Amino acid sequence: MEEKMFCFQCEQTAGGTGCSQAGVCGKSPAVALAQDETVVALIRLARAALRQGPVSKETGRLLIEGLFLTVTNVNFDEADIRRYNALYQEAGDALGAGAADDLSPQTLFHGDRDIVSLRSTLLFGLKGMAAYADHARVLGYEDPAIYQGCAAFLAALVEDHTVADWLGLLMDFGHLNLKTMGLLDQANTESYGRPTPTTVSTHIAPGPFIVVTGHDLLDLKMLLDQTEGTGVAVYTHGEMLPAHGYPELAKYDQLKGHFGTAWNNQQAEFDNIPGALLYTTNCLMPPRPSYKDALFTTGLVAWPDLPHIAADAEGHKDFSAVIAKAKALGGYDQGQEKTGANGGHTMTTGFARDAVLAHAGTVVEAVKAGDLRHIFLVGGCDGAKPGRSYYTDFVKATPADSLVLTLACGKFRFNDLDLGTLGGLPRLMDMGQCNDAYSAIQVAVALAEAFDCGVNDLPLTLVLSWYEQKAVCILLTLLALGIKNIYVGPSLPAFFSDTVLQTLVETFDLHPTGQAEEDLAAILGA
């Protein structure tokens, strides 16, 4: 059968090799081609900008926006993507991009398998980083070094490099992503306060409500401002759960709790929902007829023929249509006792680095006294592919003398479990969204300083799940920092060639996940 498209940027890719007839995510071949052409336009723009000197803020914003646009589960509207693409083409033309910069998607994904693998790893990492940079940008936080680095890495995608040079580029990129996550951490904490541990209910009250999913805290803040006094409740979904830990968001009485679990369960959890749905970033799955009429998109998220809430020139968004839809649907007549994946009725969040490091002395003394044997960071992106029960099984099997830190939407596999406490601390602590890997890194560095050792000498193991491109940029950051002995699953990226995978395994002691109890025994030396 003739190939109509090629995409292997996410974990669910068809056959573990690549989607060729249609995207498992739901995107059509036409959308896939439009996204690839957008990447080519961005490379062309980046090369032209670099020839002019330092990359301007305006160009940097376009590069970040365009990359974010092509992340998995963001934009499924071909016409909308091509509208953005035209802007990037025009910007490149204005900077003098000429015929020598004519490229094609085939440039990216054809050629020597190892080079394609390395190029794809860098490209997908850039896409993930762009999401974080864009979240910071909308809050008014930008860094010229991020824009300059983004342009340089985009240009490098179509330059000739040795394998060693490619690996060096990946490590350099990992450090740039750390800077980007740090900027977003600053943006979020200075805008909304430092997260504090918070218990969040999964129950849904009677009456009209809106469910907000995605990652963008500014969209949630604007919605909360506009729902005050309306009688409409607001619930988070998926990666928006950590919003409850930020004081400037938690203060709103109408922010009631959390609806459902991770993004990959939305088609079942939103079935016939009597509330409005607002998608702020990636996480959109093909909407089912039973809730499609309740769905609104904003930011870069789009699906053909769905209502979209755009920002005005000052960045303000009018969510009155979403509020009106919630009122019209009316909500549930009676309260709903919904639960997490394991039947729990609450989830906790807000254990960012300040909350954890406030107890650093307790952790250090517990390790020295032999009361705390190991710390696990179990987190990452969730997905629908079989094998993800591994993470639930792993966490359930962790011994009572261990702590489990978690972040990103992979935590919904187990974050409603009660693992008890250790030294006054809950054994399971949610550090936040995927970008809050920055907090986890800071905790690891601080503990290493307290023990006067390297991070790799700590009784700490990272067990990560991946789905899309933000997981790629986080992994590259961890590797760039020299962190070893990481377990990654539930399957390895299709874009890793055998040679690239072997190099990563040998250099960084990277482990594909196996059986949960066997991996746990190997980590603990049992």
Side-chain angles (χ1 to χ4, degrees), residues 41-108:
L42 295 172
I43 294 172
R44 183 172 175 267
L45 171 59
R47 294 174 73 182
L50 290 168
R51 287 196 293 267
Q52 299 293 324
V55 174
S56 69
K57 181 182 293 186
E58 292 72 21
T59 297
R61 289 173 175 173
L62 291 177
L63 296 177
I64 292 298
E65 172 190 75
L67 285 166
F68 190 7
L69 183 73
T70 67
V71 168
T72 301
N73 290 13
V74 173
N75 196 310
F76 295 82
D77 189 333
E78 181 191 359
D80 194 50
I81 296 169
R82 294 200 178 282
R83 178 179 64 82
Y84 280 106
N85 197 348
L87 296 176
Y88 310 142
Q89 294 281 0
E90 292 172 5
D93 291 342
L95 291 176
D101 288 317
D102 286 341
L103 307 166
S104 71
Q106 286 72 29
T107 308
L108 302 174

Side-chain angles (χ1 to χ4, degrees), residues 131-143 146 179-195 215-218 221 246 248-249 353 433 435-436 438:
Y132 299 145
D134 193 69
H135 292 321
R137 178 196 62 78
V138 297
L139 289 173
Y141 290 74
E142 298 176 88
D143 185 340
I146 294 173
K179 179 187 288 288
T180 306
M181 289 195 297
L183 182 67
L184 179 54
D185 178 87
Q186 179 187 2
N188 284 338
T189 55
E190 291 184 358
S191 299
Y192 307 120
R194 297 192 176 278
H215 302 74
D216 198 290
L217 298 181
L218 178 58
K221 175 66 165 61
Y246 288 94
E248 290 302 309
L249 300 175
R353 67 181 185 280
Q433 295 181 337
N435 52 279
D436 289 310
Y438 181 80

Side-chain angles (χ1 to χ4, degrees), residues 197-221:
T198 304
T199 299
V200 183
S201 173
T202 61
H203 294 179
I204 310 300
F209 66 93
I210 299 169
V211 175
V212 185
T213 191
H215 302 74
D216 198 290
L217 298 181
L218 178 58
D219 286 333
L220 176 61
K221 175 66 165 61

